[in-house]
Amino acid sequence: LAQAIAAQVARPHEARPSTWRWSPSVLGAMASMTLLQLNPTDTLHFTKAAGSTPVSRTLKLTNTSNGNVAFKVKTTAPRSYLVRPSASTLRPGDSQDVQIILQAQGADTQVNTHRFLVQAVPVDDPAPLSREEWAKFGTDAIHQHRLNVVVQDESEEALAPARPSDGRPSTGVGAKASGAPAGGPAELKSKYDELVRYALQLEKEKKKLELELELASSQKASSSASGDGVSKLTLVLAVLVAFVAAYAAKFLS
């Protein structure tokens, strides 16, 4: 029974990560990471939802070497996170998605001061290493890479610029509508030119009506002829008003 318990404790796929006390001197003594490719490379971003729901983030590890690589994930706040798997071994070219869960009680602490450390060593056997086997490796033989932690609320995430793969902020999230026409400046200029042409046409019609009115008033014709002239002027004015109303409705639409 004691052996079974010891074996369970030493399992490399434990959910609780190992404790890591950040120290610049220890990091300097270890080799920089060349065995694994990490995604994300520098920072783990967590989006905290309302309530006490745990939030998670996936860390993808890829073996870029020509041999087997054993890895393990450590953190400065092991009680705040669950990591699955926290340790394993990758064959050449293989990848592993590591799920990192920020627990509700951990989100209430100084999360932005937390750090993660990924350690890796080349091994001959593809089987996972035990804690005792990890302890046999010297500090200079262990490759390591540090990750920072950033936690945002859902409201902050919605207002923050998106983080596309090229690293440039996107204006598609949280941007306000500009209120410009769907066609942009080109359509606006076209409407302006059309309005200018319409104004010039109105000016011509105005001059024409003034001339006809002047001619009608200067004529010395019979009362019936004068009535016909007034009727003609009234008809022209009605046509002009109808034309203006039709165009105004078209422009406003």
Side-chain angles (χ1 to χ4, degrees), residues 80-160:
S80 299
Y81 300 91
L82 294 176
V83 179
R84 302 190 181 105
S86 62
S88 187
T89 300
L90 295 174
R91 298 178 185 271
D94 284 356
S95 297
Q96 174 69 59
D97 288 336
V98 178
Q99 185 181 19
I100 302 176
I101 302 173
L102 174 60
Q103 300 185 95
Q105 62 271 25
D108 297 332
T109 62
Q110 297 294 328
V111 181
N112 291 335
T113 64
H114 295 172
R115 300 290 184 271
F116 276 83
L117 183 70
V118 178
Q119 295 182 329
V121 291
V123 293
D124 296 328
D125 192 343
L129 298 180
S130 65
R131 291 182 179 180
E132 291 76 13
E133 290 172 321
W134 270 102
K136 295 178 182 180
F137 289 95
T139 303
D140 55 347
I142 300 177
H143 292 233
Q144 56 82 31
H145 187 83
R146 190 186 72 174
L147 294 166
N148 298 320
V149 175
V150 172
V151 177
Q152 291 179 306
D153 292 332
E154 281 184 330
S155 57
E156 296 176 353
E157 180 71 12
L159 296 175

Side-chain angles (χ1 to χ4, degrees), residues 1-183:
L1 179 60
Q3 292 178 350
I5 295 176
Q8 181 70 17
V9 171
R11 287 179 60 188
H13 296 282
E14 56 188 352
R16 189 72 65 179
S18 303
T19 303
W20 167 47
R21 291 179 175 84
W22 184 81
S23 172
S25 60
V26 174
L27 289 177
M30 295 182 179
S32 59
M33 180 62 70
T34 59
L35 301 174
L36 299 176
Q37 178 182 356
L38 283 70
N39 185 21
T41 57
D42 299 315
T43 305
L44 294 171
H45 290 268
F46 294 88
T47 303
K48 184 170 61 175
S52 58
T53 305
V55 292
S56 64
R57 186 72 165 86
T58 298
L59 172 65
K60 185 176 183 179
L61 305 178
T62 302
N63 182 359
T64 57
S65 71
N66 296 324
N68 300 317
V69 173
F71 72 86
K72 64 179 176 179
V73 180
K74 293 184 175 182
T75 180
T76 56
R79 294 184 179 181
S80 299
Y81 300 91
L82 294 176
V83 179
R84 302 190 181 105
S86 62
S88 187
T89 300
L90 295 174
R91 298 178 185 271
D94 284 356
S95 297
Q96 174 69 59
D97 288 336
V98 178
Q99 185 181 19
I100 302 176
I101 302 173
L102 174 60
Q103 300 185 95
Q105 62 271 25
D108 297 332
T109 62
Q110 297 294 328
V111 181
N112 291 335
T113 64
H114 295 172
R115 300 290 184 271
F116 276 83
L117 183 70
V118 178
Q119 295 182 329
V121 291
V123 293
D124 296 328
D125 192 343
L129 298 180
S130 65
R131 291 182 179 180
E132 291 76 13
E133 290 172 321
W134 270 102
K136 295 178 182 180
F137 289 95
T139 303
D140 55 347
I142 300 177
H143 292 233
Q144 56 82 31
H145 187 83
R146 190 186 72 174
L147 294 166
N148 298 320
V149 175
V150 172
V151 177
Q152 291 179 306
D153 292 332
E154 281 184 330
S155 57
E156 296 176 353
E157 180 71 12
L159 296 175
R163 293 182 297 274
S165 57
D166 59 3
R168 293 176 297 179
S170 171
T171 58
V173 178
K176 294 183 179 179
S178 62

